[in-house]
Short mmCIF file of all heavy atoms in Angstrom, two decimals:
data_model
loop_
_atom_site.label_atom_id
_atom_site.label_comp_id
_atom_site.label_asym_id
_atom_site.label_seq_id
_atom_site.Cartn_x
_atom_site.Cartn_y
_atom_site.Cartn_z
N ASP A 208 -8.58 13.38 14.89
CA ASP A 208 -7.35 14.12 15.24
C ASP A 208 -6.06 13.72 14.49
O ASP A 208 -4.99 14.17 14.75
CB ASP A 208 -7.17 14.01 16.76
CG ASP A 208 -6.95 12.47 17.09
OD1 ASP A 208 -7.79 11.75 16.68
OD2 ASP A 208 -5.99 12.16 17.83
N VAL A 209 -6.31 12.75 13.58
CA VAL A 209 -5.19 12.19 12.90
C VAL A 209 -5.44 12.23 11.35
O VAL A 209 -6.59 12.19 10.96
CB VAL A 209 -4.89 10.71 13.28
CG1 VAL A 209 -4.23 10.63 14.67
CG2 VAL A 209 -6.14 9.84 13.25
N ALA A 210 -4.31 12.30 10.59
CA ALA A 210 -4.32 12.25 9.15
C ALA A 210 -3.07 11.93 8.63
O ALA A 210 -2.03 12.20 9.31
CB ALA A 210 -4.90 13.57 8.53
N PRO A 211 -2.84 11.37 7.44
CA PRO A 211 -1.58 11.13 6.91
C PRO A 211 -0.88 12.52 6.73
O PRO A 211 -1.59 13.46 6.40
CB PRO A 211 -1.76 10.47 5.59
CG PRO A 211 -3.27 10.75 5.21
CD PRO A 211 -3.94 10.94 6.56
N ASP A 212 0.36 12.56 6.91
CA ASP A 212 1.15 13.82 6.82
C ASP A 212 1.29 14.24 5.38
O ASP A 212 1.28 15.48 5.03
CB ASP A 212 2.49 13.66 7.47
CG ASP A 212 2.43 13.36 8.96
OD1 ASP A 212 2.28 14.20 9.77
OD2 ASP A 212 2.36 12.09 9.21
N LEU A 213 1.47 13.35 4.51
CA LEU A 213 1.81 13.54 3.07
C LEU A 213 0.94 12.64 2.14
O LEU A 213 0.74 11.54 2.60
CB LEU A 213 3.37 13.38 2.92
CG LEU A 213 4.24 14.25 3.67
CD1 LEU A 213 5.63 13.66 3.84
CD2 LEU A 213 4.29 15.64 3.25
N VAL A 214 0.56 13.18 1.14
CA VAL A 214 -0.26 12.44 0.19
C VAL A 214 0.18 12.78 -1.29
O VAL A 214 0.21 13.88 -1.70
CB VAL A 214 -1.74 12.93 0.28
CG1 VAL A 214 -2.61 12.14 -0.69
CG2 VAL A 214 -2.29 12.72 1.66
N TYR A 215 0.57 11.70 -2.02
CA TYR A 215 1.19 11.82 -3.25
C TYR A 215 0.30 11.12 -4.37
O TYR A 215 0.05 9.91 -4.26
CB TYR A 215 2.62 11.34 -3.37
CG TYR A 215 3.55 12.10 -2.47
CD1 TYR A 215 3.84 11.62 -1.23
CD2 TYR A 215 3.98 13.37 -2.86
CE1 TYR A 215 4.62 12.26 -0.25
CE2 TYR A 215 4.83 14.05 -1.88
CZ TYR A 215 5.12 13.48 -0.73
OH TYR A 215 5.90 14.22 0.17
N LEU A 216 -0.03 11.88 -5.43
CA LEU A 216 -0.93 11.31 -6.45
C LEU A 216 -0.18 11.27 -7.80
O LEU A 216 0.80 11.94 -7.94
CB LEU A 216 -2.12 12.19 -6.61
CG LEU A 216 -2.83 12.71 -5.33
CD1 LEU A 216 -4.04 13.57 -5.73
CD2 LEU A 216 -3.32 11.51 -4.58
N PRO A 217 -0.75 10.43 -8.73
CA PRO A 217 -0.06 10.40 -10.09
C PRO A 217 -0.22 11.66 -10.82
O PRO A 217 0.54 11.92 -11.72
CB PRO A 217 -0.86 9.25 -10.80
CG PRO A 217 -1.70 8.54 -9.83
CD PRO A 217 -1.86 9.54 -8.56
N GLU A 218 -1.20 12.48 -10.44
CA GLU A 218 -1.46 13.80 -11.15
C GLU A 218 -0.37 14.83 -11.11
O GLU A 218 -0.43 15.81 -11.87
CB GLU A 218 -2.83 14.35 -10.64
CG GLU A 218 -4.07 13.69 -11.21
CD GLU A 218 -4.45 12.34 -10.45
OE1 GLU A 218 -3.71 12.03 -9.51
OE2 GLU A 218 -5.48 11.78 -10.79
N VAL A 219 0.48 14.67 -9.99
CA VAL A 219 1.56 15.65 -9.82
C VAL A 219 2.87 14.80 -9.98
O VAL A 219 3.06 13.88 -9.36
CB VAL A 219 1.45 16.25 -8.48
CG1 VAL A 219 2.75 17.23 -8.24
CG2 VAL A 219 0.20 17.06 -8.31
N ASP A 220 3.79 15.39 -10.75
CA ASP A 220 5.11 14.73 -10.95
C ASP A 220 5.78 14.56 -9.64
O ASP A 220 5.84 15.45 -8.84
CB ASP A 220 6.02 15.58 -11.82
CG ASP A 220 5.58 15.67 -13.29
OD1 ASP A 220 4.77 14.79 -13.67
OD2 ASP A 220 5.88 16.52 -14.01
N PHE A 221 6.28 13.37 -9.43
CA PHE A 221 6.94 13.03 -8.11
C PHE A 221 8.39 13.43 -8.20
O PHE A 221 9.09 13.12 -9.13
CB PHE A 221 6.84 11.56 -7.89
CG PHE A 221 7.20 11.22 -6.47
CD1 PHE A 221 6.29 11.11 -5.44
CD2 PHE A 221 8.46 10.82 -6.20
CE1 PHE A 221 6.69 10.83 -4.13
CE2 PHE A 221 8.95 10.48 -4.91
CZ PHE A 221 8.07 10.50 -3.83
N ASP A 222 8.95 14.03 -7.23
CA ASP A 222 10.29 14.47 -7.16
C ASP A 222 10.84 14.03 -5.81
O ASP A 222 10.42 14.26 -4.73
CB ASP A 222 10.28 16.12 -7.13
CG ASP A 222 11.70 16.59 -7.13
OD1 ASP A 222 12.45 16.48 -6.13
OD2 ASP A 222 12.17 17.12 -8.16
N MET A 223 11.93 13.14 -5.99
CA MET A 223 12.53 12.43 -4.88
C MET A 223 13.05 13.48 -3.82
O MET A 223 12.96 13.18 -2.65
CB MET A 223 13.49 11.40 -5.31
CG MET A 223 13.86 10.37 -4.32
SD MET A 223 12.60 9.41 -3.65
CE MET A 223 12.68 7.99 -4.70
N ASP A 224 13.70 14.50 -4.32
CA ASP A 224 14.31 15.45 -3.40
C ASP A 224 13.25 16.10 -2.60
O ASP A 224 13.33 16.36 -1.34
CB ASP A 224 15.13 16.47 -4.16
CG ASP A 224 16.41 15.84 -4.78
OD1 ASP A 224 16.89 14.80 -4.26
OD2 ASP A 224 16.93 16.29 -5.81
N ASN A 225 12.23 16.61 -3.32
CA ASN A 225 11.17 17.21 -2.55
C ASN A 225 10.46 16.33 -1.53
O ASN A 225 10.11 16.70 -0.42
CB ASN A 225 10.00 17.67 -3.53
CG ASN A 225 10.44 18.95 -4.31
OD1 ASN A 225 11.51 19.50 -4.01
ND2 ASN A 225 9.62 19.32 -5.36
N PHE A 226 10.37 15.07 -1.93
CA PHE A 226 9.78 14.08 -1.00
C PHE A 226 10.63 13.89 0.18
O PHE A 226 10.08 13.93 1.37
CB PHE A 226 9.67 12.71 -1.72
CG PHE A 226 9.36 11.50 -0.86
CD1 PHE A 226 8.09 11.43 -0.33
CD2 PHE A 226 10.31 10.56 -0.56
CE1 PHE A 226 7.78 10.32 0.51
CE2 PHE A 226 9.97 9.45 0.28
CZ PHE A 226 8.75 9.27 0.78
N MET A 227 11.89 13.78 0.10
CA MET A 227 12.80 13.71 1.29
C MET A 227 12.65 14.89 2.17
O MET A 227 12.64 14.90 3.39
CB MET A 227 14.24 13.49 0.87
CG MET A 227 14.48 12.19 0.24
SD MET A 227 14.18 10.79 1.37
CE MET A 227 14.22 9.40 0.21
N GLU A 228 12.58 16.04 1.49
CA GLU A 228 12.45 17.36 2.24
C GLU A 228 11.12 17.26 3.01
O GLU A 228 11.08 17.65 4.16
CB GLU A 228 12.41 18.46 1.19
CG GLU A 228 13.03 19.83 1.71
CD GLU A 228 13.04 20.81 0.58
OE1 GLU A 228 13.99 20.74 -0.30
OE2 GLU A 228 12.10 21.58 0.41
N ASP A 229 10.11 16.89 2.36
CA ASP A 229 8.73 16.73 3.01
C ASP A 229 8.76 15.90 4.25
O ASP A 229 8.24 16.18 5.27
CB ASP A 229 7.71 16.29 1.98
CG ASP A 229 7.41 17.28 0.87
OD1 ASP A 229 7.87 18.39 0.94
OD2 ASP A 229 6.81 16.80 -0.13
N VAL A 230 9.41 14.69 4.02
CA VAL A 230 9.46 13.70 5.20
C VAL A 230 10.19 14.24 6.31
O VAL A 230 9.88 14.19 7.50
CB VAL A 230 10.06 12.30 4.62
CG1 VAL A 230 10.21 11.38 5.80
CG2 VAL A 230 9.09 11.71 3.64
N ARG A 231 11.32 14.86 6.03
CA ARG A 231 12.28 15.47 7.10
C ARG A 231 11.42 16.49 7.82
O ARG A 231 11.57 16.62 9.05
CB ARG A 231 13.50 16.05 6.48
CG ARG A 231 14.58 14.94 6.13
CD ARG A 231 15.89 15.64 5.94
NE ARG A 231 16.92 14.55 5.59
CZ ARG A 231 17.26 14.27 4.36
NH1 ARG A 231 16.71 14.83 3.31
NH2 ARG A 231 18.16 13.23 4.16
N ALA A 232 10.76 17.30 7.07
CA ALA A 232 10.02 18.49 7.73
C ALA A 232 8.87 17.81 8.67
O ALA A 232 8.67 18.34 9.81
CB ALA A 232 9.41 19.34 6.71
N ALA A 233 8.25 16.82 8.15
CA ALA A 233 7.18 16.15 8.88
C ALA A 233 7.70 15.47 10.22
O ALA A 233 7.18 15.54 11.30
CB ALA A 233 6.52 15.14 8.10
N LEU A 234 8.88 14.95 10.03
CA LEU A 234 9.62 14.34 11.28
C LEU A 234 9.92 15.30 12.27
O LEU A 234 10.07 15.06 13.53
CB LEU A 234 10.80 13.48 10.85
CG LEU A 234 10.54 12.13 10.21
CD1 LEU A 234 11.82 11.63 9.56
CD2 LEU A 234 10.08 11.09 11.17
N GLU A 235 10.09 16.61 11.92
CA GLU A 235 10.32 17.65 12.82
C GLU A 235 9.06 17.96 13.73
O GLU A 235 9.14 18.38 14.83
CB GLU A 235 10.79 18.98 12.25
CG GLU A 235 12.13 18.83 11.48
CD GLU A 235 13.28 18.61 12.49
OE1 GLU A 235 13.36 19.27 13.48
OE2 GLU A 235 14.03 17.65 12.28
N VAL A 236 7.93 17.70 13.17
CA VAL A 236 6.73 18.09 13.81
C VAL A 236 6.24 16.93 14.78
O VAL A 236 5.92 17.24 15.90
CB VAL A 236 5.55 18.32 12.71
CG1 VAL A 236 4.25 18.67 13.44
CG2 VAL A 236 5.91 19.40 11.73
N HIS A 237 6.33 15.78 14.36
CA HIS A 237 6.06 14.61 15.36
C HIS A 237 6.77 13.35 14.84
O HIS A 237 7.23 13.25 13.68
CB HIS A 237 4.55 14.34 15.43
CG HIS A 237 3.84 14.09 14.14
ND1 HIS A 237 2.51 13.80 14.11
CD2 HIS A 237 4.19 14.01 12.85
CE1 HIS A 237 2.05 13.58 12.88
NE2 HIS A 237 3.21 13.75 12.12
N PRO A 238 6.94 12.35 15.79
CA PRO A 238 7.85 11.33 15.46
C PRO A 238 7.35 10.26 14.41
O PRO A 238 8.05 9.61 13.70
CB PRO A 238 8.11 10.64 16.81
CG PRO A 238 6.91 11.05 17.67
CD PRO A 238 6.51 12.33 17.20
N ASN A 239 5.95 10.16 14.39
CA ASN A 239 5.38 9.14 13.48
C ASN A 239 4.79 9.71 12.32
O ASN A 239 3.73 10.24 12.29
CB ASN A 239 4.39 8.24 14.30
CG ASN A 239 4.93 7.55 15.44
OD1 ASN A 239 5.70 6.61 15.23
ND2 ASN A 239 4.69 7.94 16.63
N VAL A 240 5.46 9.63 11.10
CA VAL A 240 5.12 10.22 9.99
C VAL A 240 4.47 9.17 9.02
O VAL A 240 4.96 8.06 8.92
CB VAL A 240 6.29 10.91 9.19
CG1 VAL A 240 5.91 11.21 7.79
CG2 VAL A 240 6.78 12.08 10.01
#
Side-chain angles (χ1 to χ4, degrees):
Chain A
D208 60 311
V209 286
D212 300 276
L213 300 162
V214 179
Y215 299 97
L216 313 181
E218 282 81 357
V219 176
D220 291 341
F221 191 90
D222 182 290
M223 194 61 93
D224 293 334
N225 285 352
F226 169 71
M227 288 301 165
E228 212 176 277
D229 293 348
V230 172
R231 282 197 179 93
L234 282 166
E235 293 297 312
V236 180
H237 59 178
N239 296 291
V240 169

